[in-house]
Amino acid sequence: MTSDLLAPLDLAFWNMESAEHPMHLGALGVFTAHSPTAGAHAADLLAARAAAVPGLRMRIRDTWRPFRLPLGFGGAAREPDPAFDPLRHVLLHAPAADFHAAAGRLMERPLDRCRPPWEAHVLPGADGDSFAVLFKFHHALADGLRALGLAAAILDPADLPTAHKARPDEPRRGGLLPDVRRLPDTVRGALSDVGRALDIGASVAASTLAVRPTPALTADPTGTRRIAGAAVDLDDVHRIRKATGGTVNDVLIAVVAGALRRWLDERGDGSEGNAPRALIPVSRRRPRTAHPQGNRLSGYLLRLPVGDPDPLSRLRAVRTAMDRNKDAGPDRGAGAVALLADHVPALGHRLGGPLVGRAARLWFDILVTSVPLPGLGLKLGGNPLTEVYPLAPLAPGHSLAVAVSTYRGRVHYGLVADAEAVPDLGLLAAALTREAETLLTACAG
C-alpha cells in the first residue's frame, strides 16, 4: 500500500474538525443475539477481520515540510499505519440497556488523529437477546458509500450487489456563460469552472438573505452528543409516493419537515413562518473514477415547509423544490458549495478550515442526508442485523442532523444532536413516526 493525497473535500473535513465538533460519521447497527456471548464473539470477529482490510489500516498524515515544499504543501495523505493494531479500534463495552444513549456518549469522542481514524464499539444488550455495534469513520477517511464498504468488509461474507452505474451527466443549458462547446477543452473547462463558481457564490449569498433563524436548530458548540432513532415501514412510504407522485426521497424529506413542525410546536418554540434551509448531499462519485479518490459530494439546498399546516401541501412543496434542484443539476446553486473545495489550495484548507466550518451556520440550518444500504440481510457471527441507524456529523453552529437509510423493508432515521441544546431529541424521533402515519392517513382520505 502506498500513500495518496487527500482529495480537496476530504482535506476540508480533516481541517475543520475541532474538539467540540468532531467530523466523523457513524452507524448504529442492532443485531439479534443467538447467545448471551454473541457480543463478545462479534468483537473478536471484527478485530480479526479488520487486520485484513487495507482501507482500515490507513492513517492520515500531514504532507507539508517547511524546507522541502512538496506539491501537496499544506495537505495531508492517507498512508498505511505500520503500528496498526485492530484492538485499539474494536472495543467491547459493558452491557447497555439503551443502545442509543450509550452510542450518543461514544459519538462525543473525537477519533484519534494519530491512528487510522475509525472505531467499532460493540455494545452487548442488557437483556442478552441483542447487541449493537457503533461504527465511527472520519469523514476524511470515508463518505457514506465508502464507510458502508469498509463496514461490510468486516461483517460476515456476503455477495453484495454490483453498484448501479450512473449515466454520464447531461449537458447543461443556460447559466452565466455563452456556448463554449467549440472552444479547446482546457479553455472550456476553465470557463465552465468559473461559471459554476460564480453561480454557486451568488446562490450562497442569496440563501443567507431574509433568513428567519430557527433557534432550535442552531447552538453554540458544547461538544456533547445525543442520538435517537425512528423506524417507518417502507411499504407505507411507497403507498404515499404512489398516491402523491414524486420520489421516495421526497416523501422522506417531507416527513422530516412535518416532524420538525410537531416538535417545534410541542416544545413551545412555534412553527409558524418557519422554513429552515436543509442541505441534501448528493454523491458525485462514479465507478472507477480517476485519482484522487475520496469524498465527491455536491448538494441541493431547499427550504423545508415547516410552517405549512397541511401535510400534503408540505409534500408538494418539497417535491417542487427537489424537482427544481434536479433540473438545475448538482453542479450549481448554493447546495453545491462543496465543489468550491476543489479550487482551494491545500494550505488554504489548512489555514481556513476552522473558518469554513463556522460558516456552515450561515449557509444551511439542518443536514438531511440519505445513506444507501444493500438490500440483502447482513450478519455478524451469524447474528442478523435487524436495524441500522445512520449518523451524520454535526456541523459547527448546528444542533441537529438527520440521516436516513432503507434496510430490509424499513426506513431508519438516525438523529444526531447537541445534547445540551436538544435534551428532548426523543420527542423528535417520535414525531417522525407520527408524521409518516399522518401522511398515510391523508393520502387514504
Side-chain angles (χ1 to χ4, degrees), residues 23 31 42 70 138 140 165 183 187 194 206 244 267 279 301 386 422:
M23 290 303 299
F31 297 80
H138 198 286
K165 186 174 182 179
L183 294 177
V187 176
V194 170
T244 61
R267 72 193 329 242
L279 175 64
L301 198 68
T386 57
V422 188

Side-chain angles (χ1 to χ4, degrees), residues 275-310:
R277 298 159 300 172
L279 175 64
I280 315 294
V282 177
S283 175
R284 300 176 70 250
R285 186 186 296 280
R286 296 291 183 264
R288 296 177 292 278
T289 51
H291 266 339
Q293 297 294 333
N295 282 283
R296 317 298 287 178
L297 293 173
S298 182
Y300 298 140
L301 198 68
L302 64 86
R303 291 189 179 276
L304 295 177
V306 170
D308 190 334
D310 182 354

Side-chain angles (χ1 to χ4, degrees), residues 194-221:
V194 170
R196 283 199 299 271
L198 290 173
D199 276 358
I200 292 167
S203 298
V204 170
S207 74
T208 63
L209 299 176
V211 173
R212 173 186 169 181
T214 304
L217 300 181
T218 59
D220 293 327

Side-chain angles (χ1 to χ4, degrees), residues 310-366:
D310 182 354
L312 293 180
S313 177
R314 288 195 294 269
L315 177 51
R316 286 192 295 270
V318 167
R319 185 173 69 241
T320 299
M322 286 299 289
D323 286 346
R324 188 184 305 117
N325 276 316
K326 292 171 187 174
D327 287 343
D331 293 344
R332 293 185 183 273
V337 71
L339 300 181
L340 300 181
D342 292 342
H343 305 285
V344 176
L347 187 59
H349 283 296
R350 180 175 297 279
L351 299 178
L355 294 176
V356 171
R358 287 193 288 273
R361 189 171 183 169
L362 301 176
W363 169 33
F364 65 97
D365 302 301
I366 183 172

Side-chain angles (χ1 to χ4, degrees), residues 13-404:
F13 287 137
W14 187 247
N15 284 305
M16 72 173 59
E17 181 173 62
S18 67
E20 293 79 16
H21 280 285
M23 290 303 299
H24 54 253
L25 50 85
L28 179 66
V30 180
F31 297 80
T32 298
H34 290 329
S35 73
T37 61
H41 179 54
D44 291 340
L45 285 175
L46 292 173
R49 293 169 179 173
V53 179
L56 295 177
R57 305 176 67 95
M58 303 297 282
R59 64 182 177 181
I60 297 176
R61 302 274 285 181
D62 293 335
T63 59
W64 63 328
R65 300 181 180 90
F67 300 106
R68 294 177 62 184
L69 301 182
L71 181 63
F73 178 66
R78 299 183 190 88
E79 66 178 22
D81 182 358
F84 175 70
D85 180 357
L87 295 180
R88 291 182 172 181
H89 299 265
V90 180
L91 306 169
L92 177 64
H93 295 266
D98 185 333
F99 292 140
H100 284 94
R105 292 188 290 271
L106 293 170
M107 284 293 287
E108 293 180 3
R109 306 177 187 175
L111 294 164
D112 189 335
R113 293 168 68 94
C114 296
R115 298 200 291 258
W118 70 273
E119 292 173 350
H121 298 269
V122 181
L123 305 166
D127 56 9
D129 296 330
S130 62
F131 67 90
V133 180
L134 173 66
F135 289 102
K136 294 168 57 177
F137 294 94
H138 198 286
H139 216 332
L141 179 70
D143 60 10
L145 289 172
R146 175 66 172 158
L148 169 62
L150 292 172
I154 52 179
L155 297 178
D156 290 356
D159 295 325
L160 295 179
T162 302
H164 174 69
K165 186 174 182 179
R167 295 182 306 152
D169 290 336
E170 296 179 357
R172 307 292 178 199
R173 294 184 179 181
L176 297 177
L177 298 176
D179 186 352
V180 294
R181 285 174 291 180
R182 293 188 175 88
L183 294 177
D185 287 345
T186 53
V187 176
R188 183 170 66 244
L191 289 175
S192 178
D193 286 348
V194 170
R196 283 199 299 271
L198 290 173
D199 276 358
I200 292 167
S203 298
V204 170
S207 74
T208 63
L209 299 176
V211 173
R212 173 186 169 181
T214 304
L217 300 181
T218 59
D220 293 327
T222 68
T224 61
R225 291 293 180 271
R226 187 185 308 275
I227 72 171
V232 173
D233 192 291
L234 182 58
D235 286 342
D236 289 345
V237 174
H238 280 299
R239 291 187 185 99
I240 298 168
R241 180 193 61 79
K242 290 177 181 177
T244 61
T247 67
V248 165
N249 201 43
D250 295 339
V251 176
L252 300 181
I253 295 171
V255 167
V256 173
L260 286 172
R261 176 181 175 82
R262 292 173 182 271
W263 178 62
L264 289 172
D265 286 342
E266 288 175 359
R267 72 193 329 242
D269 290 338
S271 60
E272 184 178 355
N274 260 297
R277 298 159 300 172
L279 175 64
I280 315 294
V282 177
S283 175
R284 300 176 70 250
R285 186 186 296 280
R286 296 291 183 264
R288 296 177 292 278
T289 51
H291 266 339
Q293 297 294 333
N295 282 283
R296 317 298 287 178
L297 293 173
S298 182
Y300 298 140
L301 198 68
L302 64 86
R303 291 189 179 276
L304 295 177
V306 170
D308 190 334
D310 182 354
L312 293 180
S313 177
R314 288 195 294 269
L315 177 51
R316 286 192 295 270
V318 167
R319 185 173 69 241
T320 299
M322 286 299 289
D323 286 346
R324 188 184 305 117
N325 276 316
K326 292 171 187 174
D327 287 343
D331 293 344
R332 293 185 183 273
V337 71
L339 300 181
L340 300 181
D342 292 342
H343 305 285
V344 176
L347 187 59
H349 283 296
R350 180 175 297 279
L351 299 178
L355 294 176
V356 171
R358 287 193 288 273
R361 189 171 183 169
L362 301 176
W363 169 33
F364 65 97
D365 302 301
I366 183 172
L367 177 73
V368 182
T369 184
S370 178
V371 181
L373 291 177
L376 73 167
L378 299 174
K379 297 181 179 180
L380 178 55
N383 303 284
L385 175 66
T386 57
E387 304 170 54
V388 55
Y389 299 94
L391 305 169
L394 197 60
H398 292 177
S399 61
L400 177 67
V402 180
V404 193

